[in-house]
């Protein structure tokens, strides 16, 4: 079946079929191979890309910038203090202006409604670089990494551990359901995801041969896991909740004991980054001073282990984002 995504927005994996997601991952493999071989087809020559950021970023900004330049496009960074976005100009009006000047728009920010309004009014492809609800470009990078390590996605036992109701848990659950994975969210019940989204994911999984499990029992959740994935315990904008989250989630810290519970010596560890795995950041040092912890969601021992594929995963942001831009924008 021929896949044509030209002109499509990329807001959430809910909008894409399993075949379309597979296509994007395969295209990511192709462009990664090209870059490693020094081949740059410049399929986005003379295209201009707006990078609209409410939330700051390392990987998303760098990945979009390098991917655009590799393909001959010009990326323009627009931070929250660079434009009148939401202050003197509405989201819809900003979308109409940017859509007249740029060929594609990336948005990274807070409300998912914002990226939906941009897509409604821009008239050009809009890509979600992260919202409070979904982070679809990250999931493509995660799945490319898993495929590189395991050779396939269908049937992979994928355990997400920690805050089960954030944008990463939401997006991984939907993506895993689409790919036919055995997906588990391992979290305190108070941090389980939205029931309506779980219902949707379960319905998708029933059609693809996958499964969805929510559990607060760690041994049940990580047993036979091919992948253990975690994220920060406190998302951007929730910093006041550090003490509460530490008390709630410390039992769910990914450490050598949890990795051993999988029963597989080659279980992959993944994290979307940044990770609080040591005390070498301002936040890490502050948490150590206040709570005596040397790590939060993952110990340094696991993070720096041979099982950890976080650097492959981070690099793959660039290749998968390039694939999304090519698929939705290239002539």
């Amino acid at each position: 079946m021929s896949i044509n995504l030209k002109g499509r927005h990329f807001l959430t994996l809910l909008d894409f079929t399993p075949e379309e997601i597979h296509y994007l991952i395969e295209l990511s493999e192709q462009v990664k191979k090209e870059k490693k071989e020094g081949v740059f087809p410049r399929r986005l020559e003379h295209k201009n890309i707006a990078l609209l950021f409410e939330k700051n970023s390392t990987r998303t900004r760098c990945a979009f910038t390098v991917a655009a330049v590799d393909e001959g496009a010009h990326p323009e960074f627009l931070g929250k203090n660079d434009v009148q976005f939401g202050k003197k100009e509405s989201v819809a009006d900003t979308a109409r202006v940017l859509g007249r000047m740029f060929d594609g728009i990336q948005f990274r920010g807070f409300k998912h409604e914002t990226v939906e309004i941009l897509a409604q009014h821009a008239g050009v492809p809009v890509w979600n670089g992260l919202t409070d609800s979904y982070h679809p470009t990250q999931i493509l990078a995660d799945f490319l990494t898993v495929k590189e390590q395991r050779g396939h996605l269908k049937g992979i036992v994928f355990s997400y551990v920690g805050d089960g109701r954030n944008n990463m848990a939401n997006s991984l659950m939907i993506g895993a359901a689409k790919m036919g994975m055995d997906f588990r969210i391992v979290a305190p019940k108070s941090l389980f995801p939205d029931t309506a989204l779980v219902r949707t994911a379960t319905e998708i999984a029933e059609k693809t041969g996958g499964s969805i499990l929510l559990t607060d029992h760690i041994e049940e959740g990580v047993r036979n896991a091919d992948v253990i994935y975690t994220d920060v315990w406190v998302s951007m904008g929730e910093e006041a909740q550090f003490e509460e989250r530490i008390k709630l989630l410390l039992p769910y810290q990914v450490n050598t004991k949890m990795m051993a519970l999988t029963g597989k010596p080659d279980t992959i560890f993944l994290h979307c980054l940044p990770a609080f795995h040591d005390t070498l950041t301002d936040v890490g040092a502050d948490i150590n001073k206040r709570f005596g912890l040397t790590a939060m969601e993952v110990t340094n021992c696991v993070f720096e282990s041979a099982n950890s594929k976080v650097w492959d995963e981070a690099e793959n942001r660039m290749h998968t984002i390039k694939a999304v831009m090519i698929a939705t924008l290239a002539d």
Side-chain angles (χ1 to χ4, degrees), residues 108-233:
R108 179 182 173 91
F110 293 92
K111 295 180 180 178
H112 190 72
E113 177 188 12
T114 303
V115 78
E116 292 177 327
I117 295 171
L118 285 170
Q120 182 180 352
H121 295 281
V124 297
V126 173
W127 310 299
N128 179 6
L130 175 142
T131 65
D132 288 347
S133 298
Y134 299 108
H135 197 0
T137 59
Q138 178 67 54
I139 279 39
L140 291 182
D142 300 338
F143 288 0
L144 174 59
T145 308
V146 173
K147 188 177 180 185
E148 288 173 338
Q149 295 296 320
R150 286 292 190 268
H152 63 98
L153 294 175
K154 189 174 180 63
I156 287 290
V157 181
F158 197 116
S159 297
Y160 174 88
V161 182
D163 182 358
R165 38 99 264 182
N166 67 11
N167 52 14
M168 283 307 306
N170 291 344
S171 298
L172 284 167
M173 180 170 61
I174 293 299
K178 295 264 184 177
M179 296 296 96
M181 295 182 184
D182 175 351
F183 182 74
R184 298 97 174 263
I185 286 182
V186 190
K189 290 181 180 178
S190 61
L191 294 179
F192 279 2
D194 176 73
T195 54
L197 189 63
V198 174
R199 191 179 310 115
T200 297
T202 301
E203 291 171 356
I204 294 169
E206 288 173 352
K207 297 176 182 178
T208 63
S211 60
I212 304 294
L213 171 69
L214 273 59
T215 181
D216 60 349
H217 295 286
I218 294 170
E219 289 190 25
E220 177 187 26
V222 304
R223 187 181 300 122
N224 297 320
D226 296 296
V227 181
I228 288 186
Y229 197 115
T230 193
D231 191 8
V232 294
W233 290 342

Side-chain angles (χ1 to χ4, degrees), residues 305-317:
S305 71
N307 298 70
S308 176
K309 305 302 176 184
V310 296
W311 309 124
D312 294 334
E313 180 187 12
E315 177 192 332
N316 284 339
R317 291 295 307 285

